Amino acid sequence: WSIFISHIAFNFCTYFLTSWTPTFYKNVLRIRPEDAALAFMLPPSLNCAVKIVINSPLDSLLKRRLFSTISCRRLFTASGFCGAAACMLLVSAAVSALGAHGATLCFTLASGFTALHPSGFKANYMDVTRASSGVVAGFGNTLASGASYIGPLFVGFLLNRFDNWLPVFCSLAIVNVLAAVVFSSFSTATPID
């Protein structure tokens, strides 16, 4: 179940980054989305680069048995969630100090941290069951799709209620930290079959 909680939290944060950052740029930074092409290109670019770079060192750690499988899963998941949480909490300060560049930096780093999850909780789907990993991953993805739907609605609710982005960033940080704690405390790599 800790995998499912992590997947839900991941989708909540990821779909914020893809759905709401254009609105943030337009309403807060006064930059039209069509004028922010580089700012919107950098987060997925770093995400992709992290995924490419991280696989070889992770494989080496596992082959040399420096860390157990579950230790690696927990390390990558906790790092991904806590790093993204820190980035979300720093957005307002970064915008005050650096303007749009600060927001772009925070959103890009948050996306880079979320790229750690394929080596964390997402790979854990294959650890917990050998015969039914597709069914378990499909069930988890179905649950997480609910967060993909509800997350943007929740952000819209917070913005309408508070007319401020700080509650949005705080909620994202809280969800990420809670997911890190849940996965780090309750995950397992022991197959159920």
Side-chain angles (χ1 to χ4, degrees), residues 5 17 25 34 49 60 67 75 88 94 102-103 110-111 113 119 121 132 135 141 148 167 192:
I5 298 294
L17 289 171
Y25 275 78
E34 55 269 21
S60 296
F67 291 96
L75 173 67
M88 291 296 101
S111 186
F113 279 111
S119 299
F121 79 85
S132 302
V135 172
N141 198 42
S148 304
I192 58 173

Side-chain angles (χ1 to χ4, degrees), residues 14-15 26 37 42 63 74 86 91 93 103 106 118 136 138 159 165 180 193:
T14 298
Y15 284 94
K26 183 179 179 201
L42 290 174
K63 283 181 180 172
R74 288 175 176 167
V91 171
C106 288
V136 175
L159 288 173
W165 285 85
D193 53 11

Side-chain angles (χ1 to χ4, degrees), residues 24 86-96 99 102-103 106-107 169:
F24 181 82
C87 292
M88 291 296 101
L89 290 175
L90 292 172
V91 171
S92 295
V95 168
S96 294
C106 288
F107 294 143
F169 297 133

Side-chain angles (χ1 to χ4, degrees), residues 57 60-69 71-72:
S60 296
L61 290 175
L62 290 173
K63 283 181 180 172
R64 288 186 284 165
R65 302 276 182 211
L66 296 177
F67 291 96
S68 66
T69 299
S71 296
C72 282

Side-chain angles (χ1 to χ4, degrees), residues 1 4 21 63-64 78 83 94 110-112 118 120 136-137 153 164 171 175 177:
W1 63 271
F4 301 146
T21 51
K63 283 181 180 172
R64 288 186 284 165
S111 186
V136 175
L153 295 175
N164 189 319
S171 71
V175 166
V177 169

Side-chain angles (χ1 to χ4, degrees), residues 68-152:
S68 66
T69 299
I70 194 61
S71 296
C72 282
R73 302 289 185 245
R74 288 175 176 167
L75 173 67
F76 281 92
T77 298
S79 299
F81 281 129
C82 291
C87 292
M88 291 296 101
L89 290 175
L90 292 172
V91 171
S92 295
V95 168
S96 294
L98 302 170
H101 297 297
T104 301
L105 177 65
C106 288
F107 294 143
T108 300
L109 291 175
S111 186
F113 279 111
T114 64
L116 298 175
H117 293 304
S119 299
F121 79 85
K122 287 186 172 186
N124 195 228
Y125 279 117
M126 293 177 283
D127 299 331
V128 297
T129 178
R130 304 281 188 235
S132 302
S133 60
V135 172
V136 175
F139 182 73
N141 198 42
T142 300
L143 290 174
S145 293
S148 304
Y149 173 76
I150 293 170

